[in-house]
Amino acid sequence: MQFMAAHGYRDEASDLRGFGDTTGAPKGDFTEFTTLHVVGDLVELLNIIAPEEKVFIVGYDWGAMIAWAMCLYRPNKVKALANMSVPFVPRKPTIRPTEALRATYGDECYIIRFQEPGEIEEEFAEIGTKTVLGKLLTNRNPEPLKLPKGKPFDESPVILPHWLTEKDVDYYASKYEHTGFTGGLNYYRALDLNWELTTPWTGAKVKVLVKFIVGDLDITYNAAGAKDYIHKGGLKKDVPLLEYVLILKGAAHFLQQEKPDEVNEHIHVLFQGLSSSD
């Protein structure tokens, strides 16, 4: 944000509902965490801070999924999108997302483990918030993340990389200690409900200018079928205004923290090209 502000952009980084200091949505009801709800939050925010303008959007992880949804539902609000880590996932009308994930990765797949309300929260509470976050933030295994029931993580010590400080982890832990993990987990629990509600968008294209960035060690890039989809025309078919895809070598899931300068420059090039033409 400091980089973009220094180049003349007004930045806004809002916590998605259920994260950080957000209030209003009941964390015990995952049905209020669909992409329709969250895109609605963003539209209302934009109506307040930029009512007459299209905006540049930067998305990452779940933010990337919401950004894809935003471009599907309200492309009139978006000038261009720089999305990271999670590629667009077209709706498959014949199978629910959790059924597909279970069939591909089994019951220990982290998304499947997140489905039962309260279960993984209890396991995380036993391990401790800071340890859980340390394990997740330092994971560089490109293989699908599995969280075995009763013992989701091994007992090896958490060793922080150069881009992640003890102060960072303490801050994240303080937020999750205050709010709990349920708000974030609700996004996973609403996956099948999203699938039901987005039937009208089956086959819809993302018609916004896009740059997609992902690390070559990211579990999303190494997921079943992801590389073929990204590189063999599938992503371009579903996102026809895709400008290009950037694969960051040696970067894992937290690419914007591992390689911030490189990521900033690539996002700036995309936005600068459009800003200069206004």
Side-chain angles (χ1 to χ4, degrees):
M1 291 182 68
Q2 292 176 339
F3 176 92
M4 298 304 293
H7 286 81
Y9 294 90
R10 175 186 176 185
D11 297 347
E12 175 71 29
S14 58
D15 288 330
L16 300 181
R17 63 167 63 190
F19 286 101
D21 298 317
T22 58
T23 60
K27 292 186 177 69
D29 184 1
F30 71 84
T31 67
E32 296 200 21
F33 287 78
T34 70
T35 55
L36 294 170
H37 285 92
V38 184
V39 168
D41 294 341
L42 295 182
V43 169
E44 183 59 22
L45 175 64
L46 292 178
N47 286 340
I48 294 170
I49 65 174
E52 305 299 329
E53 302 175 33
K54 287 188 173 185
V55 299
F56 295 117
I57 293 181
V58 178
Y60 163 76
D61 196 79
W62 260 107
M65 294 182 69
I66 299 302
W68 290 123
M70 178 79 170
C71 293
L72 273 183
Y73 308 157
R74 293 300 300 271
N76 62 305
K77 290 284 188 180
V78 184
K79 184 177 293 187
L81 168 65
N83 239 5
M84 292 179 283
S85 182
V86 181
F88 179 69
V89 180
R91 183 182 184 276
K92 297 177 176 61
T94 59
I95 186 169
R96 291 174 177 271
T98 58
E99 292 175 359
L101 288 164
R102 182 176 279 109
T104 303
Y105 300 114
D107 290 336
E108 292 184 347
C109 169
Y110 71 103
I111 296 176
I112 301 303
R113 291 280 284 114
F114 289 167
Q115 292 304 306
E116 183 61 35
E119 184 176 280
I120 198 71
E121 287 97 323
E122 290 182 8
E123 294 185 27
F124 284 177
E126 291 180 8
I127 297 168
T129 301
K130 185 174 179 179
T131 299
V132 169
L133 291 173
K135 287 289 188 179
L136 293 173
L137 289 167
T138 58
N139 178 45
R140 293 181 61 80
N141 185 349
E143 296 299 315
L145 178 62
K146 294 190 175 183
L147 303 176
K149 194 169 184 176
K151 192 177 181 181
F153 303 108
D154 62 35
E155 297 179 358
S156 62
V158 173
I159 300 175
L160 299 183
H162 68 90
W163 51 266
L164 184 64
T165 68
E166 197 78 27
K167 185 178 179 180
D168 292 332
V169 181
D170 285 339
Y171 176 77
Y172 297 144
S174 72
K175 290 297 182 181
Y176 279 99
E177 287 283 1
H178 177 66
T179 63
F181 287 98
T182 300
L185 295 171
N186 282 338
Y187 287 74
Y188 297 94
R189 292 167 184 162
L191 281 173
D192 285 348
L193 182 55
N194 284 332
W195 178 83
E196 293 177 9
L197 295 174
T198 56
T199 301
W201 285 274
T202 302
K205 312 295 183 185
V206 175
K207 297 182 179 180
V208 169
L209 186 66
V210 175
K211 176 180 287 186
F212 179 65
I213 308 172
V214 66
D216 67 342
L217 298 178
D218 197 323
I219 62 172
T220 61
Y221 183 61
N222 291 278
K227 292 179 182 177
D228 283 348
Y229 175 68
I230 291 170
H231 295 294
K232 294 185 178 181
L235 182 59
K236 179 66 175 178
K237 179 181 177 181
D238 292 326
V239 188
L241 298 181
L242 180 68
E243 187 175 74
Y244 70 85
V245 173
L246 174 67
I247 310 300
L248 290 183
K249 300 297 183 183
H253 187 59
F254 299 96
L255 70 166
Q256 83 284 12
Q257 290 171 274
E258 293 184 46
K259 297 179 179 288
D261 295 338
E262 193 170 348
V263 169
N264 283 337
E265 287 294 345
H266 282 284
I267 293 173
H268 185 226
V269 167
L270 174 67
F271 292 174
Q272 187 178 41
L274 289 177
S275 298
S276 63
S277 64
D278 289 347

